[in-house]
Amino acid sequence: MSGSKLVILGRQGSGKGTQAERVAGRLGLARIATGDIFREAARTGSPYGEQVQAYMREGDLVPDDVVVDVVRQRLAEPDAGEGFILDGFPRTVGQARALDELLDPEHLDLVIELEVPTEVALERLAGRRVCLDCGRTYGPESGPRCARCGGPLATRQDDTEAAIRRRLDLYATQTEPLVEYYLAQDRLASIDGTGDPDAVTSRVLRSIEGRFSRRS
Ligand code: AMP
């Protein structure tokens, strides 16, 4: 399953960042998280960093052409050629169509949708903290520093109540239609994202294995 081309979908607080990182580690894939790329651009003051920061702060979506351009460049890097899992992209049907075009004549192997009820997502978001240096996400029980790189942990700038509400609304109106889009392509696996994170990882890995064994 190395060389897989995967997408993980899920509303904010579904645990998709955590699961994407684990799947990437287990299968040797590049994890490509557009939110991480944008936060890094904002932090380092890259040319488009200031522009995207305004959208992120409000919980709004960065325009499709900007996002697609970033993903096009990232997919051209050598590690992505060995397989990838996209986390946080696509988020609109326009982005999904652009991704299909970028990959043509190849295509995605599987789109994993992590399903969690709104109350669970909100509860997880309330305690969420991220490493300011590497972007790794932690729950409320974490210490003050990142276990991976030692960087300081803080609440995300866009984890305010208003921005969270805005992002959940946008997920429902802009991103949920992707479920239909990928169902029509027969590429969707909907996975229960509640409960113990290790159990969720096992379910995700099983669905990926199932996809590949179905084909061989
Ligand atoms: P995330 O870390 O995935 O929650 O993304 C943080 C923020 O980055 C989002 O609230 C958006 O402002 C922006 N962003 C990330 N990925 C995308 C995308 N695919 N399309 C539009 N905006 C995005």
Side-chain angles (χ1 to χ4, degrees):
M1 284 172 304
S2 61
S4 307
K5 292 186 270 304
L6 309 174
V7 162
I8 189 158
L9 289 181
R11 61 171 79 175
Q12 291 67 32
S14 64
K16 79 183 157 53
T18 303
Q19 296 301 330
E21 194 179 300
R22 291 172 172 214
V23 170
R26 290 284 284 274
L27 302 182
L29 307 173
R31 173 184 168 231
I32 301 177
T34 41
D36 286 357
I37 296 173
F38 292 150
R39 274 185 291 279
E40 180 65 9
R43 197 173 67 85
T44 56
S46 91
Y48 71 95
E50 222 166 278
Q51 189 197 348
V52 298
Q53 196 166 23
Y55 291 102
M56 285 195 290
R57 207 172 20 236
E58 302 300 320
D60 278 332
L61 291 179
V62 174
D64 281 358
D65 55 337
V66 177
V67 190
V68 170
D69 221 45
V70 162
V71 172
R72 178 185 296 114
Q73 287 176 34
R74 183 64 187 84
L75 286 177
E77 288 176 29
D79 64 335
E82 306 292 313
F84 57 79
I85 180 162
L86 285 163
D87 165 4
F89 177 92
R91 256 175 158 98
T92 64
V93 171
Q95 291 178 14
R97 291 211 178 95
L99 177 61
D100 283 347
E101 277 170 30
L102 282 179
L103 296 178
D104 188 53
E106 298 187 4
H107 54 74
L108 290 170
D109 294 301
L110 189 66
V111 176
I112 298 143
E113 179 204 15
L114 278 188
E115 294 183 301
V116 294
T118 311
E119 318 81 73
V120 176
L122 285 172
E123 206 174 291
R124 288 181 181 170
L125 286 171
R128 175 161 86 170
R129 299 192 318 137
V130 293
C131 172
L132 294 180
D133 287 346
C134 74
R136 189 177 194 173
T137 302
Y138 290 88
E141 70 294 341
S142 57
R145 321 253 354 151
C146 176
R148 179 166 64 188
C149 75
L153 303 188
T155 302
R156 253 172 65 162
Q157 229 188 20
D158 59 348
D159 275 351
T160 60
E161 202 186 318
I164 288 174
R165 203 172 309 122
R166 175 88 184 120
R167 276 162 36 232
L168 287 171
D169 280 354
L170 280 172
Y171 189 82
T173 57
Q174 302 291 311
T175 310
E176 254 168 31
L178 291 180
V179 168
E180 286 300 320
Y181 182 86
Y182 287 122
L183 261 179
Q185 292 190 357
D186 190 24
R187 299 197 196 290
L188 190 82
S190 296
I191 310 276
D192 175 7
T194 60
D196 176 48
D198 290 343
V200 179
T201 307
S202 302
R203 278 176 226 142
V204 171
L205 289 170
R206 263 203 311 274
S207 84
I208 298 170
E209 276 160 24
R211 178 72 180 190
F212 282 84
S213 60
R214 211 174 91 186
R215 264 210 222 134
S216 51

